[in-house]
Amino acid sequence: DPEMSRGLGDVYKRQVVHYLKKNEEISLSQMAQLCQGVKAGQFWSRQKAMVQNPKAFAPKLAQYMAEQLLVEELPNGCYRLRK
């Protein structure tokens, strides 16, 4: 369901932005840790989705956030909020 996957991405995106407001940068492994155990779903539905493999999802999330101009990649491979 594309709407569910978009909603799932938005939930994780908010998690990363919240983390970056308190910290300078985030690595892909830290992103994977943030994604672990978080569930998302539509408010009218009982069905919830959860990332099964956070390590594989983290690079896709980072790329999505970079395309949305929310984060920028640093030379050390970490990401920070775009200024």
Side-chain angles (χ1 to χ4, degrees), residues 8 12 28 31-33 35-38 49-61:
L8 190 62
Y12 292 114
L28 288 176
M31 260 189 220
Q33 285 178 340
C35 294
Q36 219 159 10
V38 178
M50 192 170 127
V51 171
Q52 298 297 318
N53 187 352
K55 286 183 178 152
F57 182 73
K60 294 175 189 172
L61 178 63

Side-chain angles (χ1 to χ4, degrees), residues 10-66:
D10 289 344
V11 168
Y12 292 114
K13 184 173 69 172
R14 280 195 301 272
Q15 292 272 339
V16 172
V17 169
H18 180 73
Y19 177 89
L20 284 172
K21 285 183 179 177
K22 295 181 178 175
N23 300 280
E24 191 69 28
E25 58 188 39
I26 188 168
S27 68
L28 288 176
S29 62
Q30 288 169 318
M31 260 189 220
Q33 285 178 340
L34 281 179
C35 294
Q36 219 159 10
V38 178
K39 294 181 182 178
Q42 305 297 344
F43 67 89
W44 65 82
S45 173
R46 288 187 180 167
Q47 292 181 338
K48 299 290 180 202
M50 192 170 127
V51 171
Q52 298 297 318
N53 187 352
K55 286 183 178 152
F57 182 73
K60 294 175 189 172
L61 178 63
Q63 181 183 1
Y64 171 70
M65 291 181 72

Side-chain angles (χ1 to χ4, degrees), residues 24-28 30-31 71-80:
E24 191 69 28
E25 58 188 39
I26 188 168
S27 68
L28 288 176
Q30 288 169 318
M31 260 189 220
V71 296
E72 57 189 0
E73 188 171 3
L74 300 173
N76 63 0
C78 291
Y79 293 85
R80 70 173 179 202

